[in-house]
Amino acid sequence: MSWGTLYTQLVGVNRHSTSLGKIWLSVLFIFRVTILVVAAETVWGDEQSDFVCNTLQPGCENVCYDHFFPISHVRLWCLQLIFASTPALLVAMYIAYRNHKEKREILLRSDKKSRVKQEEDLESIRKRRLPIAGPLWWVYAISLVFRLLFEVAFIYALYAIYDGFRLPRLVRCEVSPCPNEVDCFVSRPTEKTVFTVFMAAASGACMVLNMAELAYLVTKAATQCLSMNVRKSRANCAGKDKGLLPNKKNEILLASSSSVSSTCKAV
């Protein structure tokens, strides 16, 4: 699957997301995927061939390179982008399932409707924008949580594997079959450090957007629940007041009738 196919799938989900979700997709593809494809792959293209050690021992350079760089930065970032984008596809699957269910119901009722009306209903289902409420709210919120977890896990893995975001110019290797301590030189360390810091910062921006979107969804849902409870309580109070009005009228009528009867007796 190419990056273009992934972008097409995520754009379909983006139609149903919030404004923060649209910004997240723009940051993901402009500042991460584009930089990765255009620049980062070129910078890291010669990383193993230009990793030079001051030894002629066969296999020493390969072993030292594998020791200090167990996984390439580019491949780790590719995995990170795929895992961070996968939860959004869960939302797409749920929306597709819901649309398919409603289309099937329309087709089953086709004998009761005209052909033109049926086509209009199917077209409206294709073009509509689903509100983030009910089961879709839970699916969307869970996808945001998994996005955050994957981003944090990969940033921690990058920091732990390479002991920070700065690439050294020189590493000393004592791994077998090297005969002794060998000095090895990393190609383009400053340029690679700049790209590493930039990709980590872009990942941090995506995490901030995910947290902000999750907080927005929770706040909006809590506000809607509170307003719904307030409306229910007001409706209940109004119903009680309507029930009390006839009782008050009856009490007034009884009081007036008793006063009239007492007046008649006195006369």
Side-chain angles (χ1 to χ4, degrees), residues 12-23:
V13 180
N14 208 34
R15 189 158 55 91
H16 305 277
S17 63
T18 63
S19 299
L20 291 171
K22 293 178 174 63
I23 297 173

Side-chain angles (χ1 to χ4, degrees), residues 106-114 118:
I106 291 173
L107 293 174
L108 290 175
R109 297 196 304 266
S110 60
D111 54 339
K112 300 179 182 179
K113 291 186 176 182
S114 64
Q118 179 181 340

Side-chain angles (χ1 to χ4, degrees), residues 34-60:
T34 305
I35 296 298
L36 178 65
V37 174
V38 173
E41 289 184 351
T42 304
V43 173
W44 267 270
D46 58 350
E47 54 180 336
Q48 186 170 3
S49 60
D50 288 349
F51 184 80
V52 180
C53 298
N54 57 354
T55 180
L56 297 178
Q57 178 69 29
C60 181

Side-chain angles (χ1 to χ4, degrees), residues 145-199:
V145 172
F146 276 102
R147 273 190 225 167
L148 280 170
L149 292 177
F150 286 137
E151 293 279 15
V152 171
F154 276 95
I155 286 294
Y156 176 77
L158 179 66
Y159 188 88
I161 291 173
Y162 298 107
D163 195 20
F165 300 121
R166 180 181 176 277
L167 272 74
R169 292 181 172 84
L170 171 68
V171 291
R172 289 183 169 85
C173 178
E174 300 181 41
V175 184
S176 178
C178 297
N180 47 28
E181 186 179 75
V182 176
D183 293 336
C184 297
F185 302 91
V186 180
S187 65
R188 301 177 179 175
T190 304
E191 191 175 9
K192 290 178 180 179
T193 299
V194 171
F195 275 100
T196 303
V197 173
F198 179 83
M199 294 296 286

